[in-house]
Amino acid sequence: MCGKRPLGKINIEMEPGYKKPVIEGQINGKKGYFLIDTGAEVSFLDIEKAWQYGYLISKNKPEKQFESILGELEIREVSKVRFFLKNAEIKAGFFATNLAMYLSRKGEEGHEEILGIIGSDIMKKYLFSLDFSNREITLSDKR
């Protein structure tokens, strides 16, 4: 792997109090919370938080329509993103959309807002394993 440090195996605890699996990560050096969504084909960041976290949203017309349980979402390409889980950089591509409706947090007062969704694209690449009984996620770059 030419100069790239292997990720190895990392265990991440799911954040307490959320009804869905949520983990802490960093985008461009700022802490954020991410929903783990095994049904999402791709990973998303909230379009409304781009300025706060320093990532750029493509100004071109929306990349494509994305079908979700809420109907079609317009998604745009994202650039200038460095994504970390614990101290490991996760090489991933993100799309941006308005996540407000998708990430309703009713009944979860006092918890941080969700910055993004980790979809199956990242989960496959980093061999995510979800252990709901212990509220833990393991990831690795080794096959």
Side-chain angles (χ1 to χ4, degrees), residues 32-133:
Y33 293 89
F34 297 83
L35 173 68
I36 305 298
D37 186 346
T38 59
E41 293 176 38
V42 297
S43 297
F44 296 100
L45 293 174
D46 192 340
I47 203 165
E48 300 296 324
K49 294 184 175 80
W51 64 269
Q52 183 181 352
Y53 285 84
Y55 50 90
L56 301 178
I57 308 297
S58 169
K59 295 196 184 299
N60 297 334
K61 68 178 187 169
E63 177 73 18
K64 58 183 171 179
Q65 300 291 320
F66 185 81
E67 193 66 34
S68 77
I69 59 172
L70 297 174
E72 284 190 353
L73 297 174
E74 287 188 351
I75 63 175
R76 296 181 182 274
E77 287 187 8
V78 176
S79 60
K80 303 288 185 190
V81 176
R82 291 196 67 199
F83 178 43
F84 287 82
L85 293 174
K86 288 208 170 177
N87 291 322
E89 184 167 14
I90 305 299
K91 299 289 185 182
F94 283 95
F95 289 94
T97 194
N98 186 340
L99 296 177
M101 281 182 46
Y102 186 68
L103 298 175
S104 172
R105 296 185 313 120
K106 290 182 182 174
E108 299 187 53
E109 286 184 32
H111 295 293
E112 300 292 331
E113 287 187 29
I114 301 297
L115 171 60
I117 295 172
I118 296 176
S120 61
D121 56 339
I122 294 175
M123 287 186 257
K124 285 181 205 172
K125 183 176 179 180
Y126 289 95
L127 307 173
F128 272 52
S129 175
L130 281 67
D131 179 350
F132 284 96
S133 61

